[in-house]
């Protein structure tokens, strides 16, 4: 049992930019790096292992043959529970919504998607769409899409570095241009586009919308959650920690390390470590900004050394 270093999978969606290449040093033949799938066992983009005896294998293969790597909580799910991405929005993403588990399994044959966004960086004045600015009916929602007055009803939020958005399934949302974020989500790729600014896809045709399905699943209400991390910043001599969010699907915290940090992968869950800044080591493995590590459940204590910022996720 050892710490697995993961090779990311990149997506070149039309709204993407170049920050993942320019600021994180990722290499890819793709012109745009809209998303980096940093922890993924999804069929649309599976990580491979960079190091050790599992090098070259997919993470999916490894956890299938070593189910104890998931831990007690991870094994409760019928699928690998989470997917973690880095997202660089040079341009606005489509306004969209994700279904919950019941609807997605019935209609799409995969699980729904609840997710959270942690803002890593953003341009001055950047904003995103998060729910509605007032409660409306599904019928009014449908009418506003049809008569192109839809954007009048959405809740636009100015963002800053360090904001945390919890996007429960059924919440209307859209990442705005100039935002770089980390997304921790259920392991699903089901998205219903509601509005796409009239853009054309690579084939020269308008991108597909999923209006009827979106109307079925959207909660047409303002958001109730704060955009601040759920926990307070806790300072120690060598590091600080802050709980970003916690739910029945995942627990996410940020760790800022000045010297060293000891964490534990116990019998309950594997641990994902996504390095968002700095350089250092984790149990002797060199790590830097943009690296993603999978630590199997029951691994025990691990030590991160260096000047490092990381997002640590468990299930």
């Amino acid at each position: 049992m050892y710490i697995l270093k993961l090779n990311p999978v990149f997506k070149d969606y039309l709204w993407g930019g170049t920050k993942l290449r320019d600021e994180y040093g990722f290499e890819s033949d793709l012109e745009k790096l809209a998303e980096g799938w940093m922890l993924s066992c999804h069929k649309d983009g599976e990580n491979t292992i960079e190091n050790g005896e599992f090098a070259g294998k997919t993470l999916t293969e490894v956890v299938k043959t070593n189910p104890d790597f998931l831990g007690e909580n991870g094994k409760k799910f019928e699928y690998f529970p989470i997917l973690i991405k880095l997202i660089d929005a040079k341009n606005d993403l489509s306004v969209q919504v994700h279904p919950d588990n019941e609807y997605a399994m019935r209609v799409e044959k995969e699980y729904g998607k609840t997710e959270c966004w942690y803002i890593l960086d953003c341009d001055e004045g950047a904003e995103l769409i998060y729910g509605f600015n007032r409660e409306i009916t599904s019928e009014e929602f449908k009418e506003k899409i049809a008569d192109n007055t839809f954007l009048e009803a959405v809740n636009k939020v100015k963002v800053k570095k360090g904001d945390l958005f919890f996007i429960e399934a059924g919440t209307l949302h859209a990442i705005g241009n100039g935002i770089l974020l980390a997304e921790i989500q259920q392991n699903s790729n089901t998205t219903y586009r509601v509005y796409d600014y009239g853009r054309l896809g690579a084939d020269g045709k308008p991108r597909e919308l999923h209006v009827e399905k979106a109307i079925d699943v959207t909660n047409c209400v303002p958001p109730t959650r704060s955009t601040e991390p759920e926990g307070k910043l806790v300072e120690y001599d060598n590091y600080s920690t802050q709980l970003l969010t916690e739910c029945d699907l995942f627990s996410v915290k940020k760790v800022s390390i000045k010297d060293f940090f000891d964490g534990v992968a116990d019998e309950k869950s594997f641990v994902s470590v996504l390095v968002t800044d700095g350089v250092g080591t984790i149990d002797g493995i060199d790590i830097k900004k943009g690296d993603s590590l999978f630590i199997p459940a029951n691994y025990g204590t691990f030590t991160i050394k260096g000047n490092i910022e990381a997002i640590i996720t468990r299930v």
Side-chain angles (χ1 to χ4, degrees):
M1 183 183 294
Y2 67 101
I3 296 176
L4 310 182
K5 199 171 187 179
L6 306 179
N7 293 312
V9 177
F10 297 108
K11 303 292 183 178
D12 61 348
Y13 304 133
L14 58 83
W15 43 262
T18 61
K19 290 180 180 177
L20 297 184
R21 177 183 290 111
D22 299 341
E23 298 182 17
Y24 283 75
F26 291 129
E27 296 181 0
S28 172
D29 293 333
L30 300 176
E31 181 182 351
K32 297 178 180 180
L33 299 185
E35 295 183 353
W37 290 23
M38 310 307 296
L39 175 69
S40 174
C41 290
H42 196 280
K43 60 181 176 59
D44 293 340
E46 297 180 272
N47 296 135
T48 56
I49 312 304
E50 179 181 318
N51 62 325
E53 65 178 289
F54 300 125
K57 292 183 179 294
T58 66
L59 182 59
T60 305
E61 292 176 283
V62 172
V63 297
K64 186 175 182 180
T65 55
N66 299 273
D68 287 345
F69 281 11
L70 295 172
E72 294 172 9
N73 293 342
K75 287 192 285 187
K76 293 176 183 177
F77 294 85
E78 297 178 32
Y79 56 99
F80 189 82
I82 57 174
L83 197 164
I84 297 178
K85 302 175 181 176
L86 291 173
I87 298 179
D88 173 24
K90 182 178 181 180
N91 297 298
D92 294 331
L93 274 69
S94 60
V95 185
Q96 56 192 243
V97 66
H98 307 302
D100 62 17
N101 286 341
E102 185 279 325
Y103 187 96
M105 284 300 294
R106 176 165 49 85
V107 176
E108 309 294 346
K109 309 308 180 198
E110 79 164 355
Y111 284 83
K113 190 198 293 190
T114 286
E115 62 194 18
C116 70
W117 296 337
Y118 180 68
I119 308 299
L120 295 169
D121 201 3
C122 60
D123 294 345
E124 185 175 353
E127 62 182 21
L128 53 76
I129 291 172
Y130 185 40
F132 292 83
N133 56 29
R134 61 182 176 85
E135 185 171 354
I136 64 174
T137 65
S138 293
E139 185 59 34
E140 187 178 359
F141 183 31
K142 185 175 183 178
E143 290 171 357
K144 285 189 170 296
I145 295 170
D147 65 17
N148 206 32
T149 60
F150 168 71
L151 293 181
E152 297 174 0
V154 302
N155 179 48
K156 295 182 179 180
V157 183
K158 298 283 187 184
V159 302
K160 65 182 186 301
K161 184 176 180 179
D163 282 346
L164 188 285
F165 292 83
F166 188 87
I167 315 291
E168 191 171 7
T171 303
L172 191 78
H173 61 278
I175 303 170
N177 67 80
I179 296 175
L180 178 70
L181 60 80
E183 177 178 277
I184 295 88
Q185 59 161 92
Q186 282 182 274
N187 185 11
S188 170
N189 203 27
T190 296
T191 296
Y192 298 148
R193 287 195 201 103
V194 179
Y195 183 83
D196 196 40
Y197 309 95
R199 290 183 293 199
L200 304 180
D203 59 2
K205 299 177 181 179
R207 296 207 298 169
E208 182 182 6
L209 300 180
H210 316 93
V211 173
E212 294 302 324
K213 289 180 178 178
I215 291 169
D216 284 345
V217 305
T218 301
N219 297 319
C220 300
V221 295
T224 58
R225 288 176 176 262
S226 167
T227 60
E228 296 295 320
E230 291 181 15
K232 293 182 179 180
L233 182 68
V234 182
E235 299 271 6
Y236 299 93
D237 289 341
N238 298 303
Y239 62 91
S240 64
T241 66
Q242 186 171 29
L243 177 68
L244 299 182
T245 191
E246 190 170 37
C247 64
D248 59 348
L249 298 166
F250 43 70
S251 173
V252 187
K253 70 178 179 180
K254 177 187 174 183
V255 179
S256 299
I257 303 162
K258 294 180 286 188
D259 187 3
F260 70 90
F261 165 80
D262 289 331
V264 178
D266 60 18
E267 72 280 359
K268 294 291 186 181
S269 174
F270 64 87
V271 175
S272 163
V273 177
L274 176 62
V275 182
T276 56
D277 204 5
V279 294
T281 62
I282 181 168
D283 282 7
I285 301 171
D286 290 336
I287 56 175
K288 65 183 185 307
K289 182 177 180 177
D291 282 343
S292 178
L293 297 308
F294 175 91
I295 307 177
N298 283 304
Y299 177 87
T301 300
F302 59 90
T303 301
I304 302 174
K305 295 181 179 179
N307 190 349
I308 289 279
E309 289 190 358
I311 293 173
I312 296 181
T313 305
R314 295 175 169 84
V315 296

